């Protein structure tokens, strides 16, 4: 087992590990954009039934890891397994819900909030893609859970930043995805909405889903996540939130000399 990240702390007795347990298994993943190596030898098992926080500085490769899991960037090396399947099969089966970072979305796209959430139901609709009563019910329920029912008919670009995030979270809920990837769902979101999303993610994990969420809100991490991954082009650490938040670990991940020059 070469190049394994440090793993500290017992993540829990019933954590189904990696793809075999319904989660995500990433092995030796490398992604390059031209000359720039964004991910290098990333190996991580994201278990089902837990919320896993993905932490790292700007440019550390968080969004790239999400895109690689989604099959949206082609890796130079390595593999991704999702609930025991390859990515293509998992995506076809509607297994993975993805809430992209706001910067990656074209907000001018002429669709309503309800349409965005209904996109989560495509995998349930067969070839006709004609929504049935069950699809409408799932969309209404998901909108209610993120408290967006009243804004359902607005064009998506006409929502505030936090409301847009909640619309995408609703899409993942309506999809009934087994695996949820959320790229900074709290950026620009107020505390009340953040608490709503945290509670939802908790419920989804308790229901056996796999939840991987990137965030810069380290204060909220203990409430949000059961375990944490520190990323800096590679996995620096994967273990309990308390261990991840130790100053010397954060110093490594964020390139900060918080130890006042005591680092070796
Ligand atoms: N399409 C692209 N073309 C070239 N370089 C890219 C591209 N996307 C990302 N990068 C580079 O790859 C590295 C990782 O970017 P990524 O978006 O994955 O970081 P991140 O951890 O999500 O950062 P942030 O916290 O700012 O969202 C950065 O150095 C970035 O400049
Ligand atoms: Mg990002």
């Amino acid at each position: 087992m070469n190049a394994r990240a440090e793993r500290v702390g017992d993540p829990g007795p019933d954590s189904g590990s990696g793809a075999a347990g319904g989660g995500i298994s990433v092995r030796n993943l490398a992604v390059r954009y031209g000359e720039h190596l964004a991910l290098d030898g990333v190996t991580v098992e994201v278990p089902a039934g837990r919320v896993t926080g993905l932490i790292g500085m700007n440019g550390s490769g968080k969004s790239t890891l999400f895109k690689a899991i989604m099959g949206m960037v082609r890796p130079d090396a390595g593999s991704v397994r999702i609930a025991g399947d390859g990515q293509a099969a998992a995506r076809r089966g509607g297994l993975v819900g993805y809430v992209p970072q706001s910067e990656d979305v074209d907000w001018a796209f002429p669709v309503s909030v309800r349409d965005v959430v209904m996109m989560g139901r495509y995998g349930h609709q067969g070839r006709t893609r004609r929504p049935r009563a069950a699809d409408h019910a799932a969309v209404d329920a998901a909108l209610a859970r993120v408290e967006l029912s009243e804004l359902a008919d607005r064009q998506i670009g006409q929502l505030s930043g936090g409301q847009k995030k909640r619309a995408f979270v609703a899409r993942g809920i309506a999809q009934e995805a087994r695996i949820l990837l959320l790229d900074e769902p709290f950026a620009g979101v107020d505390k009340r909405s953040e608490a709503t999303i945290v509670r939802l993610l908790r419920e989804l994990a308790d229901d056996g889903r796999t939840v991987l969420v990137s965030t810069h809100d380290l204060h909220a991490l203990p409430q949000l996540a059961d375990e944490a991954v520190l990323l800096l082009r590679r996995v620096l650490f994967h273990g309990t939130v308390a261990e991840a938040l130790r100053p010397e670990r954060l110093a490594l991940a964020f390139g900060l000399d918080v130890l006042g020059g005591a680092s070796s």
Side-chain angles (χ1 to χ4, degrees), residues 98-100 102 105 107 111-120 138-139 142-149 151-175 180 182 185 189 193 197 200:
Y98 171 48
V99 178
S102 297
V105 178
W107 297 110
V111 291
S112 71
V113 175
R114 188 186 299 282
D115 294 333
V116 167
V117 181
M118 186 60 85
M119 286 171 195
V139 167
L143 283 165
R145 279 180 89 175
V146 300
E147 299 173 2
L148 277 184
S149 305
L151 300 179
D153 297 315
R154 282 237 195 121
Q155 195 265 331
I156 184 75
Q158 292 169 359
L159 295 190
S160 74
Q163 291 164 343
K164 286 174 186 152
K165 284 285 179 192
R166 279 150 54 193
F168 272 80
V169 171
R171 184 180 70 172
I173 292 170
Q175 188 178 334
L180 272 169
L182 302 101
V189 167
S193 297
I197 297 174
L200 273 171

Side-chain angles (χ1 to χ4, degrees), residues 59 61-64 101 104 183-184 214 216:
K62 301 179 297 298
S63 297
T64 302
Q101 196 167 355
D104 290 331
D183 196 354
E184 297 194 27
S214 72
H216 288 291

Side-chain angles (χ1 to χ4, degrees), residues 27-40:
R27 302 245 156 226
N28 259 316
L29 193 72
V31 175
R32 193 180 279 284
Y33 297 107
E35 290 291 286
H36 181 73
L37 190 58
L39 295 177
D40 183 13

Side-chain angles (χ1 to χ4, degrees), residues 9-264:
D10 180 4
D14 56 356
S15 68
S17 126
I24 308 166
S25 181
V26 175
R27 302 245 156 226
N28 259 316
L29 193 72
V31 175
R32 193 180 279 284
Y33 297 107
E35 290 291 286
H36 181 73
L37 190 58
L39 295 177
D40 183 13
V42 169
T43 294
V44 65
E45 303 283 327
V46 184
R50 298 172 74 79
V51 177
T52 301
L54 182 61
I55 309 301
M57 62 194 274
N58 292 145
S60 59
K62 301 179 297 298
S63 297
T64 302
L65 179 57
F66 284 121
K67 289 173 191 171
I69 293 170
M70 289 300 291
M72 294 163 64
V73 295
R74 186 191 295 269
D76 258 41
S79 65
V80 175
R81 306 282 297 167
I82 297 171
D85 273 330
Q87 289 156 298
R91 277 212 299 172
R92 267 198 309 277
L95 222 56
V96 191
Y98 171 48
V99 178
Q101 196 167 355
S102 297
E103 291 81 341
D104 290 331
V105 178
D106 174 10
W107 297 110
F109 204 60
V111 291
S112 71
V113 175
R114 188 186 299 282
D115 294 333
V116 167
V117 181
M118 186 60 85
M119 286 171 195
R121 299 297 300 174
Y122 282 178
H124 298 264
Q125 288 169 3
R127 285 196 184 175
T128 62
R129 293 230 166 136
R130 190 163 299 145
R132 286 180 272 231
D135 299 312
H136 289 296
V139 167
D140 286 344
L143 283 165
R145 279 180 89 175
V146 300
E147 299 173 2
L148 277 184
S149 305
E150 281 166 22
L151 300 179
D153 297 315
R154 282 237 195 121
Q155 195 265 331
I156 184 75
Q158 292 169 359
L159 295 190
S160 74
Q163 291 164 343
K164 286 174 186 152
K165 284 285 179 192
R166 279 150 54 193
F168 272 80
V169 171
R171 184 180 70 172
I173 292 170
Q175 188 178 334
E176 295 169 15
R178 302 299 309 158
I179 315 253
L180 272 169
L181 309 175
L182 302 101
D183 196 354
E184 297 194 27
F186 308 119
V189 167
D190 65 35
K191 284 290 163 201
R192 179 161 165 263
S193 297
E194 177 166 341
T196 304
I197 297 174
V198 167
R199 198 177 58 244
L200 273 171
L201 298 183
R202 224 354 338 117
E203 288 169 13
L204 292 166
D206 290 346
D207 187 40
R209 320 284 174 102
T210 304
V211 182
L212 179 64
V213 50
S214 72
T215 179
H216 288 291
D217 187 350
L218 299 182
H219 291 293
L221 199 61
Q223 286 80 51
L224 169 69
D226 301 302
E227 50 191 273
V229 173
L230 296 182
L231 188 72
L232 185 56
R233 189 178 296 166
R234 61 190 184 85
V235 176
L236 296 179
F237 172 81
H238 181 187
T240 64
V241 170
E243 288 286 343
L245 290 178
R246 282 171 60 164
E248 63 272 26
R249 293 222 163 82
L250 291 180
L252 275 180
F254 287 88
L256 298 170
D257 190 9
V258 295
L259 299 181
S263 57
S264 56

